Structures are given as C-alpha cells and as structure tokens.
Amino acid sequence: MEIRKAVIPAAGWGTRFLPATKAIPKEMLPLLDKPLIQYIVEEAISSGIEQIIIVISSAKSAIQDHFDRSVDLEQTLEQKGEERLLEEVRRIAGLDKICYVRQKEQLGLGDAILTAREIVGDEPFAVLLPDDIFDADVPVIKQMIEVHRRYGGSVIALWRVAEEGTRRYGIVKPKKIEDKVYQILDVVEKPGPQNAPSDLAILGRYILAPEIFQALRVTPPSKGGEIQLTDGLALLLKQQAVHGYEFEGTYYDAGKPLSLLKASVALAVKHPEMGADFKEYLKRLIANL
Ligand code: UTP
C-alpha cells in the first residue's frame, strides 16, 4: 500500500531549549534561514506525501501561522519590491497539504501519534520528528518508502552510534537481511553501552503499519508517565515484521542547543549564498582561538 500520509509530532514542551522555547515552539527555531519544521514538511512533500498531519498543542499556534497566508505581509513585501521574499512567503503558505490535530496533554511521542489515528485511518503512514534533520540526495523518508514497498510492514531509520549514543537513543537488536536492511528482533530505549544489543540507534523517521495504534493503546506509560513509541514498537514487532534501514545521508540532531549550533555551522559552510563568507569568518575565528 502506498504511503500517502505523514504525521509530524510537534506538541512537546521543548524543555531542552528553555528559555528559548518559553513562548516560541521548538519546531519554529531556525536552522539557518528556515524553521526546523519547514525542513520536515518539505522532506515529506518531496517524498510524495499527500497529506501532512501536524500534532500541536495550545502553545504551538506559531506553527499554524507559519504555514498560513499573511495578506498584510504579502502587501508590504509587494510595495517594497521584495520579489524573492514575496515568492518564498507565498510558496510556504501554498503548502496546503497540512492539517492539524491537538494533543491535549503532553503524554509522550506515542500518545502524540495516537492523537492522529482518526485522520490516518487504516493505512501505513510516515512519521517525521522535527528534532532530526537530514542532508541527503534522496530524502530519507523517500528512501524508507522504497524499503516499505519491498518488505511491507514497518520501517525505522537506523544510524550507527558510538558508546555515548547508546545512552541517548533507542537501540535495536538487528538481524541483517541485505545491505543496510535489517529485521528488528527487539528495541531497547537508552540501554547504555553495557546492555546495548548493537550500535544501531533509532532516529526520527518511521514508516508505521496501522497496527501501531493498537500497540500504543496498550503500551504502559514509562517511568516519566509518557507513552514511548519505542515501547509500542517493541509490542508491534512481536506481531508483525519491523525492518530497520541504514539510510544514505548525513544526520543532524537539532533537539538541543549545542547540536543545533553544530548543525547550523555544518550547513552554513555548504550554503550556496552564505557559505563562502561564513567559511572566511570561521577561519579568522579559529586563527584567533
Ligand atoms: P522530544 O522528547 O524530543 O521533544 O520528543 P520535547 O518533549 O519537545 O523536548 P524536550 O525533551 O522537552 O526538550 C520528540 C518529538 O515528539 C514530540 C515533540 O514535539 C518532538 O517533536 N512530542 C513529544 C509530542 O508531540 N508530544 C509529547 O507529548 C512529547
């Protein structure tokens, strides 16, 4: 079955970015010249997704405003002759494949995905987390849709981590099937180096079979009271195949201040307009350290 719908959970508190996220959604923080969520929406659209469901909370109306029209702003830009900006502002508002659902209480990523179940219905769907940004020739979720075409079921994005990563990510127990594709035998949330079943971590791109909703409904909350997607996946893979895929591309963590800064620097040096200037600046900065 084709993957037509994507869920973008964006209702979390963003506590790791406080105080920046007190009044601004984490997903609206900029990576160079665009908010994080715009990268994610563009990845979904360029992968052929037809409907995007963004899970928000009452504090996240800036996300809706970003993808809405702003007639006053358009008029001002027109009067000022800012053609390029006007075109960009209209292009973003023209991304009309987006709808929104509210997560009423922040009960975790698994609960956020459950919030979208009515709109998703009984079909496999994509999930993209705005904390994880990829630089890839073929969008990562599109690569995963390809894997789903071959194997069906669910597909999760995998990335090799060093020891430290086993404390920060969900880690899989894999059985290799072909180059870069694994059957997932188990998943463990942040096991640490002693208990990690491999060095393959789960990142924020998923193709999920609709049976995940039933699994999440019966997933008990974790210690912090949240429904974890990893725990739901652990239940799902007991019933049906879940595959892991080591994608082609580079991953940037945008979920905390230092890593977002690193991502900004890495992308800035490659940027067609800012790159040359920024590299000169970096060289001077490093020379003076
Ligand atoms: P995170 O745990 O990384 O996001 O959840 P967070 O809770 O916003 O951030 P911190 O940990 O407090 O700094 C991963 C994704 O799941 C969404 C978040 O918005 C983020 O995109 N999420 C998380 C929800 O939509 N609802 C929740 O209840 C929790």
Side-chain angles (χ1 to χ4, degrees):
M1 201 172 187
E2 282 300 299
I3 305 298
R4 303 184 304 134
K5 300 181 185 183
V7 176
I8 303 179
W13 288 110
T15 45
R16 286 170 293 167
F17 267 108
L18 281 170
T21 48
K22 185 160 177 266
I24 296 168
K26 172 173 82 171
E27 299 75 14
M28 287 301 295
L29 294 176
L31 176 54
L32 301 187
D33 50 357
K34 285 191 290 192
L36 292 170
I37 193 139
Q38 193 177 326
Y39 288 86
I40 305 299
V41 165
E42 287 174 351
E43 179 182 336
I45 290 175
S46 60
S47 301
I49 295 293
E50 292 166 20
Q51 187 179 21
I52 296 170
I53 303 141
I54 305 184
V55 184
I56 54 169
S57 67
S58 56
K60 304 274 180 155
S61 54
I63 295 177
Q64 286 173 297
D65 294 343
H66 182 70
F67 293 108
D68 200 357
R69 272 196 78 179
S70 171
V71 177
D72 291 349
L73 176 63
E74 287 179 25
Q75 274 170 2
T76 308
L77 292 173
E78 211 160 8
Q79 281 158 12
K80 288 186 169 180
E82 295 277 9
E83 300 284 319
R84 201 178 64 82
L85 288 176
L86 180 63
E87 201 181 301
E88 178 63 5
V89 161
R90 284 197 174 136
R91 187 184 69 79
I92 297 164
L95 301 173
D96 55 1
K97 300 172 169 187
I98 305 172
C99 65
Y100 301 89
V101 286
R102 284 251 193 136
Q103 186 188 24
K104 298 199 172 65
E105 235 186 305
Q106 277 49 70
L107 296 176
L109 173 58
D111 181 73
I113 292 170
L114 265 180
T115 312
R117 71 185 177 280
E118 294 290 333
I119 305 182
V120 170
D122 193 24
E123 59 182 276
F125 61 103
V127 173
L128 299 91
L129 303 191
D131 276 5
D132 292 354
I133 299 285
F134 299 95
D135 187 12
D137 292 340
V138 178
V140 169
I141 204 72
K142 189 172 188 182
Q143 297 177 37
M144 294 171 67
I145 289 172
E146 260 320 304
V147 177
H148 175 265
R149 274 200 190 114
R150 282 190 280 141
Y151 291 96
S154 301
V155 184
I156 57 185
L158 298 178
W159 172 251
R160 280 193 197 277
V161 291
E163 223 179 79
E164 178 50 29
T166 62
R167 296 192 183 93
R168 291 180 40 214
Y169 297 91
I171 304 290
V172 300
K173 184 175 178 191
K175 181 177 151 206
K176 189 165 181 172
I177 292 190
E178 61 166 273
D179 188 33
K180 296 181 185 299
V181 181
Y182 303 83
Q183 188 185 338
I184 304 301
L185 304 177
D186 201 3
V187 290
V188 202
E189 188 60 28
K190 304 185 179 86
Q194 306 298 332
N195 300 319
S198 75
D199 62 350
L200 287 168
I202 307 172
L203 293 188
R205 295 292 183 277
Y206 311 80
I207 304 293
L208 296 175
E211 288 78 13
I212 190 68
F213 293 125
Q214 186 48 32
L216 287 171
R217 263 197 211 110
V218 296
T219 299
S222 64
K223 266 186 258 157
E226 296 195 339
I227 310 280
Q228 302 288 356
L229 177 58
T230 314
D231 294 340
L233 282 170
L235 289 180
L236 184 69
L237 58 81
K238 289 192 182 121
Q239 301 157 19
Q240 56 168 257
V242 175
H243 289 92
Y245 172 63
E246 264 186 281
F247 57 87
E248 310 259 353
T250 308
Y251 156 61
Y252 298 107
D253 172 11
K256 49 187 201 304
L258 179 60
S259 44
L260 179 60
L261 181 61
K262 288 179 184 170
S264 304
V265 171
L267 292 181
V269 294
K270 296 206 286 179
H271 193 278
E273 283 153 38
M274 302 180 211
D277 205 345
F278 186 64
K279 264 193 261 181
E280 279 311 307
Y281 165 76
L282 268 188
K283 277 186 203 152
R284 280 201 306 276
L285 192 73
I286 291 165
N288 289 324
L289 281 182

